[in-house]
């Protein structure tokens, strides 16, 4: 009986958040590093469906770094990372699109559908809803910077109660252009800003942003981000993630969260409990 009462109390703890977030858009970036085993993937799908059922509008943007590396290795195609971005030749772009759209996007979409939702997987090429130009004058090859998002495509899906699952590839907006590889973190923040999302949440493979002594930083300011980037405390894949957080909150998203996708139900813990987990960056 005691256990049952504790369960009821737990549900009640979520009530104020359910009220507060009804009808709000949450953009969730599902990192490749957090897509590690079938159990965790199922938990992720359950969490997203629960959010949807209580009236939140989840929009999923996914990464896929590890799987892209695996296929590039198999095909013996070299690729390197500069500033946390994958330098993308046409050959690499073909593999990026195959893995992100052909494989991971359909896997996540199918998983959500099998757990009871209606998810639809798309890329920026669908409805030409996300276009880009070369980032930093082509310094990273076909890595793009988003220059236009047509909200109508996502809004129509949300209106009809679909969960959009977005692969971070943008249209080059030209005939025969192979498209652009967009860092998934930056795609998530741009999409969150464009849709007027309440939150953007990054699920990754670490507890949050760590300081030099590996302690979790539960909050982060713009000044801290600049100094941790300058001294190398924040490096590699964490660079675009914190940049994406800043970009989102500067554009009016209330909070950006970086949380541990390896922890079961980390999404629910972050959203529906007063303590939360991970690192929060706010406006
Ligand atoms: N200060 C820091 N605190 C925490 N992690 C950091 C820090 N600096 C660098 N990192 C690295 O950033 C990594 C997370 O970024 P990464 O790009 O690898 O994952 P992801 O974005 O979740 O996945 P994907 O890029 O496949 O979508 C961590 O595993 C960690 O090694
Ligand atoms: Mg990354």
């Amino acid at each position: 009986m005691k256990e049952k009462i504790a369960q009821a109390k737990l549900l009640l703890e979520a009530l104020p958040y359910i009220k507060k977030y009804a009808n709000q858009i949450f953009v969730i970036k599902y990192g490749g590093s957090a897509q590690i085993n079938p159990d965790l993937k199922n938990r992720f799908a359950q969490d997203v469906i629960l959010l949807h059922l209580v009236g939140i509008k989840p929009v999923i943007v996914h990464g896929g770094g590890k799987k892209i590396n695996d296929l590039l290795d198999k095909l013996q195609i070299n690729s390197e990372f500069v500033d946390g971005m994958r330098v993308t030749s046409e050959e690499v772009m073909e593999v990026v699109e195959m893995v992100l759209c052909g494989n991971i996007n359909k896997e996540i979409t199918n998983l959500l559908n099998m757990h009871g939702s209606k998810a639809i997987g798309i890329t920026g090429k669908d409805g030409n809803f996300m276009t880009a130009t070369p980032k930093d004058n082509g310094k990273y090859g076909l890595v793009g910077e988003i220059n236009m998002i047509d909200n109508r495509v996502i809004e129509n899906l949300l209106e009809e109660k679909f969960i959009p699952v977005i692969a971070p590839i943008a249209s080059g907006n030209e005939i025969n252009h192979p498209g652009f590889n967009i860092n998934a973190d930056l795609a998530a923040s741009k999409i969150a800003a464009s849709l007027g999302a309440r939150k953007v949440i990054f699920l990754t493979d670490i507890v949050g942003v760590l300081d030099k002594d590996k302690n979790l930083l539960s909050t982060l300011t713009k000044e801290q981000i600049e100094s941790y980037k300058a001294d190398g405390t924040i490096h590699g894949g964490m660079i675009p993630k914190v940049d994406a957080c800043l970009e989102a909150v500067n554009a009016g998203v209330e909070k950006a969260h970086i949380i541990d996708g390896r922890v079961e139900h980390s999404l629910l813990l972050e959203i529906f409990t007063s303590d939360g987990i991970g690192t929060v960056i706010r406006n």
Side-chain angles (χ1 to χ4, degrees):
M1 191 62 176
K2 261 192 182 158
E3 248 175 49
K4 293 241 154 65
I5 294 172
Q7 266 176 13
K9 284 197 171 140
L10 205 69
L11 280 171
L12 281 176
E13 196 186 337
L15 196 59
Y17 300 100
I18 294 175
K19 277 191 197 151
K20 186 159 120 187
Y21 297 138
N23 283 319
Q24 305 282 311
I25 296 173
F26 284 17
V27 174
I28 300 163
K29 192 278 180 141
Y30 188 29
S33 313
Q35 302 159 21
I36 40 181
N37 70 53
D39 254 6
L40 269 179
K41 288 182 193 173
N42 285 317
R43 303 268 185 278
F44 167 79
Q46 289 170 337
D47 291 1
V48 171
I49 284 160
L50 195 135
L51 298 181
H52 199 214
L53 287 174
V54 300
I56 291 168
K57 297 173 174 169
V59 173
I60 313 300
V61 178
H62 61 84
K66 298 215 158 85
K67 274 200 171 175
I68 295 170
N69 288 341
D70 289 349
L71 188 56
L72 285 170
D73 283 348
K74 266 190 208 157
L75 297 171
Q76 298 178 323
I77 299 170
N78 286 327
S79 82
E80 52 159 356
F81 278 88
V82 176
D83 311 325
M85 308 280 166
R86 182 192 305 280
V87 179
T88 307
S89 62
E90 283 213 18
E91 203 183 16
V92 170
M93 184 64 210
E94 208 177 323
V95 175
V96 167
E97 188 168 40
M98 271 195 254
V99 174
L100 285 179
C101 312
N103 182 282
I104 300 178
N105 187 274
K106 295 310 137 193
E107 183 186 321
I108 298 172
T109 305
N110 187 51
L111 187 72
L112 288 168
N113 287 334
M114 291 309 106
H115 277 277
S117 77
K118 286 278 180 283
I120 290 194
I122 53 173
T123 85
K125 290 183 178 177
D126 293 285
N128 208 38
F129 91 90
M130 188 160 76
T131 64
T133 51
K135 188 177 171 67
D136 298 344
N137 297 316
K139 183 176 170 193
Y140 315 101
L142 285 168
V143 170
E145 179 152 346
I146 297 170
N147 63 354
M148 187 281 302
I149 292 175
D150 180 353
N151 285 344
R152 290 175 309 164
V153 173
I154 307 172
E155 282 168 355
N156 278 324
L157 293 175
L158 292 173
E159 189 61 33
E160 296 298 329
K161 306 274 183 269
F162 289 109
I163 300 178
V165 178
I166 303 171
I169 286 186
S171 151
N173 216 19
E174 275 172 34
I175 293 168
N176 293 332
H177 191 284
F180 284 105
N181 179 14
I182 313 289
N183 175 279
D185 298 330
L186 298 172
S189 64
K190 269 269 180 349
I191 291 168
S194 179
L195 291 172
R198 180 83 179 244
K199 279 183 190 294
V200 57
I201 303 168
F202 298 85
L203 281 167
T204 184
D205 65 346
I206 197 153
V207 289
V209 182
L210 306 177
D211 69 11
K212 260 198 208 65
D213 305 316
K214 307 279 174 221
N215 298 312
L216 173 68
L217 294 156
S218 47
T219 60
L220 256 185
T221 61
K222 184 175 189 293
E223 292 69 32
Q224 282 173 309
I225 289 176
E226 293 313 329
S227 89
Y228 286 135
K229 268 168 59 178
D231 71 11
T233 305
I234 292 178
H235 58 270
M238 196 49 76
I239 296 174
K241 218 176 292 301
V242 291
D243 286 347
C245 289
L246 274 184
E247 178 167 15
V249 297
N250 285 338
V253 176
E254 189 180 67
K255 281 183 190 170
H257 306 255
I258 297 173
I259 63 173
D260 196 343
R262 301 166 307 173
V263 173
E264 276 185 29
H265 303 301
S266 52
L267 254 184
L268 300 186
L269 291 172
E270 179 62 53
I271 295 169
F272 294 126
T273 64
S274 44
D275 302 332
I277 57 169
T279 301
V280 178
I281 294 157
R282 63 179 83 218
N283 197 332

